Amino acid sequence: MTTRPTYSDVLTYSGETDGAGRPSGPINGILGAMAAHLNPTERAELAQALRTAVRGEADFGTTARALTTMDASNYRRVPLGVVFPRDADDVAAALAVCRAHGVPVVPRGGGTSIAGQATGTGVVLDLTRHLRGIVELDPGSRTAAVQPGVVLDELRAAAAPHGLTFGPDPSTHSRCTLGGMIGNNSCGAHSVAWGTTADNTHALTVTRYGGDTLRLGRGTVPEALTGLPELIRTNLALLRTGFPELPRRISGYALDALLPERGTDLARAFCGSEGTLGVVTEATVRLVEAPAARALAVLGYADEAAAAEAAPGLLPHHPLTVEGMAADLVREPAGLPRGGAWLFVETGGATPAEARAHAERVLRAADALDGTVVTGPAGQRALWRIREDAAGTATRMPDGTEAWPGWEDCAVPPDRLGPYLRDFRALLAGHGLRGTPYGHFGDGCIHVRIDFDLLSTQGVARFRRFSEDLADLVVAHGGSLSGEHGDGQARAELLPRMYGDELVALFSRFKDIWDPDGGMNPGILARPARLDENLRFEVLPKRPVDVAFGYPHDGGDFSAAVRRCVGVAKCRTAQPAGAGVMCPSFRATGEEAHSTRGRARLLHEMLAGDAGGVITDGWRSTEVRDALDLCLSCKGCRSDCPVGVDMATYKAEFLHHHYRRRLRPAAHYTMGRLPVWLRLASPFAGPLNALARVRLLAALAKRLAGVAPERGIPVLARETFTRWLNRRWGKGTFVFSNDEVAMVWPDTFTEHLSPEVGRAAVRVLEAAGRHTIPAGRGLCCGLTYVSTGQLDKARKVMRRTLDRLGGTLGTPLVVLEPSCAATLRTDLPELLPDDPRSAELAASVRTLAQYLEEYAPDWQPPRLDLPVTGQTHCHQHAVLGDAAERRLRERAGLAGELSGGCCGLAGNFGFERGHWDVSAACAEETLLPSVRASEPGTAILADGFSCRTQLEQLGGVRARHLAELLAEGLAPESGTSCG
């Protein structure tokens, strides 16, 4: 019988050591073996013990484990299960059970850690589901007591009415949690003004492995931490001299906070401990006064080294931020001044004028190539989004090559940043690597993603060599290996290079005082795992997977497409950013499995399969199917995800394989083949509409078709759009020059369900001097087949469409339904990458506004002078863009913003049985409230048939396509213009 190793084995290990005296080789195998050696019976007993002990949930299922194998780092470790504690008592109970069973514990917040510290082989404590309460907010003392799962933006929103905020604000502020920020000692853009999380933490309530709870503050050491006073007293000289003085020293344990002259601040020392000492169950944090007004000075420099050298000179002006980034990371430099790199310098004031004056002083003082001051909130948000999205955009080089974290946030003294960056560039070149620095230049902290090859043995070896050399370079400049995100597995192995062996040995002693059984997040910080172990790419297929889509941006490799998700979790935000869409199903459910990141993690584990994946039944996986079932295929992630994950395409791909040669859900045969059924039903529209009004017959039809019983059946048009247009022209043959003709795509929805939109578009186009003709007969973009994963059928339909277009290919096409336009623009060329006609057709697609702007630029629309509200279609937002629509609305005097988010109907999704609740929740997020809040006389705009249907069925309001609104403003027709 094999004896399972225990934590005492780890703590008393006296075998092979490396040159620094640290255990090597087998030590990490022991750490990983704690959980791996549990047999099925022991795992079942552990799961049952946890379910009995906690009021929250204990999930040891495949999905829960797969979702927590990774964070936002290069690392992957498979846990036994996940516990969602409901309160502090649950945390203590779970830790007691895990200690009794000899199983390690990993505390986890938003899962956005970039160094691997939020992954582990034991039990993950997910603190985001229940422990997210703001216990108290005291404006008088400027403090707040919060639970660890509180998202930073939620705390900031609660503090804002009092003119207060929490100072540290990492770019993940919309989804990172206070517990995670404390664990990593997070900082963010405003640390030059307000410091790190440790600087803003007053007191902590912490539960240790085993279940005992301590209150941490200044001045006293709890009796339970036996040996800590002696450790401090006997090492005062080392603690006073062993830590470099710089604003962003995050690496290692902050033992210098325990010095008597620093108040023996145990709460501060706990910050940055990365879950290795205990679990925070409540934190009292300090709040700071938020400026009433802000302005942003953007300064252009020749390169990032020049920007870095300029940054320290701006600090005497007391800015709120001094952020830097290079041009390589900016895909659309709209609003940025001239330069190859920029500093973003935010200033505050009691009034907008005062904030602007402050920013203008910075601009005058800066020795920049160019600069500008932005005061409008929308303009500032747009520029800050460029900076905040860098963590994602940096994962792809300009040529599409993948880039990875690992050396994400080194920090040096700010006045050394310029020389350091030049040496860093030289080191990259010496190793044949590329990366674009950005980050917190005012604090000397640099973020970078590097194009490491982490898929091959040679590439991983180079990753290690570079890591060792860069650690030495950082130390040579007086810096810290981590300046924000913690050491985790990425850098902890190299801490002796920064601190020396003696101080690192104290780190281990400190860890043992807190956690004598070694159960808290083993392998992180103290006795760390190697930086090139547990890489998440090891388990992925070595050859491309046979797939239907072309994945042109990923070299045709589905694994590379899935690897796009690096875990920054912008899809986990509680509210869409501005006009953003991603990810409506997560916001409706709050479940990781229904986020873009969660689905990508499940697909990763599916691809890993027998090589070590949690999911071993490949395309037949029910776990992946169930997670993708609530994906609305809105394509919001294609544009809103910083790395362009396209989960709608991945879902279609998965469904294609999952149901291959198998019986499909009824909705796939009905709504998935909607164009066929509508063509067949069209001659019988009158009788069928009458039958649909018979409640019993409608209920039976919906049941057979897989339609949600709550849904109404749309009304069929008695006359299709094409039939009306042909009748309008009569039977004669008319010849026009190409300059006069506008071809309108007869999409299924306009053709059979809302021909009034087509008729309105014809009136508008004719008013603009264009003669309108249908693009052809029997054309179909294949949308419904794609959305239900019937990709063989979709390709057949698309090829037939290309054949029927014949000589008209390349002629601009006005497509009125945004989802059909998006399908033609993206899905068509990606499903038929070898047919050059597909790219030609895709390039010809225009929305009505785009067509008018391009081909009738001098036309003046009717002046309507109406307020509008409503919905920008998800596919319009994600694929087509709505800039032309905005300009057209402005010219027509249509004032008001359309809502972000998703209507929730999303084609077949909202009609399918089982989706009603999520569909309605999505509509209630932004769309329906914006309509209800509108003033009388406000026009409701929605270019998508789904959006209009959702508004009618859930909101009882009639929304109109932009074409309809414009047509209503035209002079009444006096008969037809021709025919």
Side-chain angles (χ1 to χ4, degrees):
M1 178 178 175
T2 302
T3 302
R4 181 162 56 91
T6 66
Y7 282 102
S8 60
D9 295 325
V10 176
L11 296 176
T12 60
Y13 181 84
S14 57
E16 182 181 355
T17 60
D18 64 13
R22 292 174 295 112
S24 65
I27 182 69
N28 293 318
I30 293 174
L31 290 168
M34 297 302 131
H37 279 73
L38 287 181
N39 61 43
T41 300
E42 291 171 322
R43 293 186 187 200
E45 290 173 350
L46 171 65
Q48 184 56 46
L50 285 167
R51 292 186 185 109
T52 302
V54 303
R55 294 171 53 245
E57 302 80 31
D59 192 342
F60 278 56
T62 299
T63 297
R65 296 172 63 224
L67 292 172
T68 48
T69 55
M70 292 176 277
D71 50 16
S73 72
N74 297 328
Y75 300 99
R76 170 185 175 274
R77 293 188 290 176
V78 180
L80 289 172
V82 185
V83 172
F84 302 90
R86 192 167 292 277
D87 51 27
D89 290 341
D90 268 7
V91 172
L95 289 169
V97 169
C98 288
R99 183 189 184 198
H101 286 258
V103 170
V105 173
V106 181
R108 183 176 169 112
T112 56
S113 295
I114 298 181
Q117 59 267 65
T119 68
T121 57
V123 170
V124 172
L125 289 186
D126 188 324
L127 305 171
T128 63
R129 180 176 290 181
H130 301 301
L131 284 163
R132 50 188 309 156
I134 298 175
V135 180
E136 182 182 13
L137 197 153
D138 184 354
S141 64
R142 294 186 179 179
T143 61
V146 299
Q147 293 180 322
V150 170
V151 171
L152 173 57
D153 272 0
E154 295 172 358
L155 174 60
R156 298 203 300 181
H162 307 287
L164 301 173
T165 190
F166 187 66
D169 61 336
S171 61
T172 54
H173 52 82
S174 61
R175 60 270 192 197
C176 69
T177 64
L178 269 293
M181 293 179 69
I182 291 165
N184 293 345
N185 195 8
S186 299
C187 308
H190 290 86
S191 59
V192 293
W194 296 318
T196 70
T197 298
D199 296 322
N200 292 274
T201 298
H202 176 69
L204 299 172
T205 301
V206 173
T207 303
R208 295 199 300 164
Y209 190 65
D212 61 319
T213 297
L214 308 178
R215 183 68 175 172
L216 311 181
R218 289 172 61 91
T220 60
V221 176
E223 293 182 4
L225 298 178
T226 305
L228 184 54
E230 181 184 359
L231 182 144
I232 300 167
R233 180 172 45 79
T234 57
N235 292 280
L236 289 173
L238 182 58
L239 297 181
R240 285 171 175 145
T241 61
F243 293 90
E245 288 293 334
L246 69 162
R248 286 295 193 94
R249 190 251 302 161
I250 304 298
S251 281
Y253 292 115
L255 299 186
D256 56 330
L258 301 176
L259 287 166
E261 61 267 30
R262 298 191 178 182
T264 314
D265 193 341
L266 205 54
R268 187 183 184 93
F270 188 93
C271 290
S273 58
E274 303 183 27
T276 63
L277 306 181
V279 181
V280 174
T281 57
E282 188 176 303
T284 302
V285 297
R286 301 183 184 95
L287 303 175
V288 297
E289 185 176 353
R294 303 187 191 214
L296 183 63
V298 186
L299 313 173
Y301 295 87
D303 55 35
E304 78 270 2
E309 289 180 334
L314 303 177
L315 298 179
H317 295 278
H318 305 292
L320 300 175
T321 64
V322 183
E323 298 289 287
M325 67 186 303
D328 292 356
L329 293 175
V330 182
R331 304 295 186 252
E332 298 180 9
L336 291 171
R338 290 182 300 112
W342 297 273
L343 290 179
F344 292 62
V345 185
E346 187 180 67
T347 58
T351 65
E354 185 177 315
R356 183 181 183 89
H358 194 173
E360 288 173 343
R361 287 196 298 274
V362 170
L363 185 61
R364 289 193 297 271
D367 183 18
L369 295 176
D370 195 8
T372 186
V373 171
V374 181
T375 55
Q380 291 187 59
R381 281 196 303 270
L383 290 168
W384 276 124
R385 180 177 177 180
I386 294 173
R387 164 61 186 87
E388 291 177 353
D389 282 354
T393 55
T395 64
R396 283 293 188 277
M397 309 299 287
D399 63 0
T401 304
E402 295 171 297
W404 304 106
W407 285 93
E408 179 70 19
D409 64 315
C410 300
V412 297
D415 60 0
R416 295 291 307 160
L417 186 57
Y420 166 74
L421 280 175
R422 291 190 176 90
D423 289 346
F424 172 74
R425 284 286 193 181
L427 184 65
L428 277 176
H431 283 270
L433 297 168
R434 295 177 298 164
T436 302
Y438 67 99
H440 313 293
F441 282 22
D443 273 336
C445 180
I446 291 300
H447 299 318
V448 65
R449 300 280 172 122
I450 300 172
D451 65 339
F452 298 120
D453 168 18
L454 299 178
L455 302 176
S456 71
T457 302
Q458 298 85 353
V460 172
R462 180 165 60 168
F463 168 60
R464 168 170 278 282
R465 292 193 301 270
F466 175 82
S467 300
E468 293 169 343
D469 289 348
L470 181 55
D472 291 339
L473 177 64
V474 171
V475 172
H477 281 275
S480 173
L481 303 186
S482 171
E484 180 166 22
H485 297 144
D487 299 307
Q489 189 174 341
R491 289 176 287 273
E493 181 189 354
L494 302 175
L495 285 176
R497 295 171 184 254
M498 176 181 171
Y499 287 118
D501 295 337
E502 189 177 3
L503 190 51
V504 168
L506 281 189
F507 291 167
S508 293
R509 288 177 57 191
F510 183 63
K511 156 80 168 172
D512 294 345
I513 288 170
W514 277 89
D515 181 25
D517 295 302
M520 293 303 306
N521 212 3
I524 303 298
L525 279 184
R527 307 180 185 89
R530 296 176 181 274
L531 63 88
D532 51 358
E533 289 182 302
N534 304 321
L535 292 171
R536 66 187 178 101
F537 316 100
E538 296 172 348
V539 296
L540 290 177
K542 305 306 178 188
R543 297 179 180 177
V545 178
D546 184 24
V547 286
F549 281 95
Y551 301 100
H553 304 296
D554 298 291
D557 185 354
F558 184 65
S559 295
V562 172
R563 287 200 305 269
R564 277 184 174 271
C565 179
V566 293
V568 295
K570 191 176 179 182
C571 50
R572 278 179 54 97
T573 55
Q575 293 291 331
V581 174
M582 180 184 73
C583 175
S585 53
F586 172 77
R587 292 194 299 274
T589 65
E591 294 293 334
E592 174 79 7
H594 301 304
S595 69
T596 306
R597 181 180 73 172
R599 293 173 179 124
R601 292 292 177 259
L602 291 166
L603 287 167
H604 186 285
E605 293 303 309
M606 180 196 81
L607 289 172
D610 293 334
V614 179
I615 296 170
T616 57
D617 48 355
W619 297 110
R620 294 291 194 242
S621 167
T622 55
E623 293 85 7
V624 178
R625 180 202 65 199
D626 292 346
L628 288 171
D629 180 58
L630 290 188
C631 171
L632 286 84
S633 297
C634 67
K635 287 188 177 288
C637 47
R638 185 174 178 121
S639 61
D640 295 354
C641 172
V643 293
V645 169
D646 184 358
M647 193 53 63
T649 297
Y650 304 172
K651 175 181 179 178
E653 185 77 65
F654 175 82
L655 294 176
H656 168 69
H657 294 278
H658 185 76
Y659 289 111
R660 198 178 190 95
R661 301 186 184 91
R662 301 172 78 192
L663 188 66
R664 288 174 168 269
H668 288 200
Y669 298 106
T670 53
M671 287 172 281
R673 301 181 184 183
L674 189 65
V676 173
W677 302 125
L678 289 180
R679 280 198 300 271
L680 293 174
S682 182
F684 314 102
L688 288 174
N689 287 335
L691 291 173
R693 290 194 292 271
V694 179
R695 184 174 300 177
L696 186 61
L697 290 176
L700 178 61
K702 286 187 283 188
R703 182 173 183 82
L704 293 174
V707 173
E710 299 89 347
R711 284 290 169 195
I713 298 176
V715 176
L716 289 171
R718 288 179 175 271
E719 183 180 42
T720 66
F721 167 62
T722 301
R723 190 176 301 134
W724 171 85
L725 189 55
N726 288 334
R727 182 170 57 80
R728 181 181 181 85
W729 283 107
K731 297 182 179 179
T733 300
F734 298 87
V735 179
F736 305 106
S737 69
N738 286 339
D739 292 338
E740 299 173 320
V741 172
M743 293 179 61
V744 178
W745 181 267
D747 66 84
T748 295
F749 306 98
T750 302
E751 180 78 354
H752 296 286
L753 300 172
S754 56
E756 65 276 6
V757 170
R759 294 195 293 267
V762 168
R763 288 202 62 205
V764 171
L765 289 165
E766 289 181 351
R770 314 297 293 178
H771 295 287
T772 310
I773 62 174
R777 291 177 57 85
L779 305 180
C780 181
C781 67
L783 165 67
T784 59
Y785 302 101
V786 172
S787 63
T788 53
Q790 301 179 75
L791 300 185
D792 290 336
K793 182 66 174 176
R795 284 185 289 207
K796 182 178 178 181
V797 167
M798 290 171 173
R799 285 197 181 96
R800 185 176 64 210
T801 291
L802 291 170
D803 293 340
R804 289 178 176 177
L805 284 170
T808 64
L809 267 174
T811 304
L813 287 173
V814 179
V815 185
L816 300 171
E817 173 58 45
S819 56
C820 295
T823 300
L824 292 169
R825 185 75 65 84
T826 60
D827 296 319
L828 172 69
E830 290 175 17
L831 275 172
L832 301 177
D834 299 327
D835 190 332
R837 298 177 302 169
S838 64
E840 191 175 7
L841 175 54
S844 71
V845 170
R846 304 288 189 277
T847 67
L848 176 64
Q850 289 168 348
Y851 181 89
L852 290 170
E853 192 168 82
E854 189 173 348
Y855 293 97
D858 297 328
W859 178 67
Q860 290 299 318
R863 188 75 187 180
L864 302 175
D865 292 322
L866 284 173
V868 296
T869 189
Q871 176 85 52
T872 298
H873 194 285
C874 296
H875 290 183
Q876 175 109 37
H877 167 82
V879 175
L880 308 165
D882 67 342
E885 279 71 18
R886 287 174 176 272
R887 289 189 288 267
L888 180 55
R889 293 200 303 268
E890 184 177 354
R891 290 165 61 201
L894 298 174
E897 287 293 318
L898 305 189
S899 75
C902 177
C903 75
L905 190 57
N908 57 290
F909 175 85
F911 273 96
E912 291 183 7
R913 186 184 300 121
H915 292 170
W916 169 262
D917 289 341
V918 170
S919 177
C922 292
E924 288 289 354
E925 183 184 33
T926 54
L927 176 58
L928 291 178
S930 70
V931 170
R932 294 188 191 112
S934 62
E935 296 294 328
T938 299
I940 312 300
L941 272 178
D943 282 0
F945 175 76
S946 291
C947 307
R948 296 194 298 273
T949 302
Q950 188 80 314
L951 282 164
E952 180 183 0
Q953 295 194 356
L954 271 66
V957 296
R958 178 176 179 261
R960 287 171 288 179
H961 193 287
L962 179 58
E964 294 181 273
L965 211 55
L966 293 174
E968 290 172 9
L970 297 173
E973 288 186 294
S974 56
T976 59
S977 60
C978 50

